[in-house]
Amino acid sequence: MYNTEDKKIFLKERLSKKRYIHSVNVSAECIKLAKLYGEDTEKAEFAGLLHDICKEIPAEEQYNLVIESKFAVCREELETRSLLHGIAGAYFIKKEFGVEDIDIINAVRFHTVGRAGMSRLEEIVYLADLVSAERDYKDVDKMRKLVYSDIEKAMLEAFEFSIESVLKKGGVIPACTIEGYNFYVRFCKKNH
């Protein structure tokens, strides 16, 4: 049902080599995490492959897709160019590929900003994007270990990492990101 081979051809023509490799790596990571955490591997592979489908199109095109989508989008997302591609991508795969599975749409939509109450598939795509094979930031190995041992703690750590990096750059933080952080703080305090 989720044909990734034709989507790889589509992405190869649409993305830079670096971004294409990243997309394939995230997809591969999603398969591993889906197996570990009992999710549908085909859905995970598909969502992971397409998560950055709109990352390299012009900002104005991304913005127009976001507006056309009629998705609930906060001001901070609209003001931050690097956050538009997830929303645009979710709408693009719905509009152009006929994807109706809300879990896949949300996995693409929230792979950068996160949110409270993410589905397991959303968590998998969010984390796979952070720890895919080509990632080499400081502490990536520590994050990889956490992703494979405790997904909720990994989500909390990922939110902390994301918020810290935005704060260092003087950026704005979407409400859904703050809500996601608070959600995983509460979850981890209650369950660990």
Side-chain angles (χ1 to χ4, degrees), residues 10-133:
F10 181 86
L11 290 177
K12 210 169 205 169
E13 293 169 0
R14 187 179 176 94
L15 300 175
S16 65
K17 186 178 180 184
K18 182 181 176 186
R19 181 68 43 199
Y20 175 76
I21 289 167
H22 169 69
S23 297
V24 170
N25 286 346
V26 169
S27 184
E29 198 70 43
C30 284
I31 293 169
K32 290 188 238 170
L33 290 170
K35 283 179 185 168
L36 178 64
Y37 292 111
E39 270 302 308
D40 183 320
T41 55
E42 284 184 28
K43 272 174 68 164
E45 176 185 24
F46 188 78
L49 185 67
L50 298 179
H51 81 286
D52 272 351
I53 195 164
C54 288
K55 179 90 172 182
E56 296 178 338
I57 64 173
E60 190 179 335
E61 238 178 281
Q62 287 183 39
Y63 185 84
N64 290 340
L65 283 168
V66 169
I67 298 304
E68 190 184 321
S69 76
K70 305 245 187 311
F71 291 160
V73 180
C74 71
R75 178 180 172 186
E76 291 77 13
E77 289 175 299
L78 284 174
E79 293 172 349
T80 310
R81 160 120 173 55
S82 62
L83 300 182
L84 295 176
H85 76 280
I87 308 154
Y91 180 61
F92 183 89
I93 65 170
K94 182 178 178 163
K95 181 179 151 187
E96 299 299 324
F97 299 156
V99 174
E100 291 295 328
D101 187 319
I102 192 65
D103 211 14
I104 292 173
I105 291 167
N106 281 339
V108 173
R109 160 70 176 93
F110 291 102
H111 83 269
T112 304
V113 293
R115 68 184 181 119
M118 293 172 85
S119 71
R120 186 64 80 205
L121 179 67
E122 289 175 72
E123 292 173 337
I124 285 170
V125 174
Y126 185 88
L127 292 170
D129 187 26
L130 199 59
V131 301
S132 61

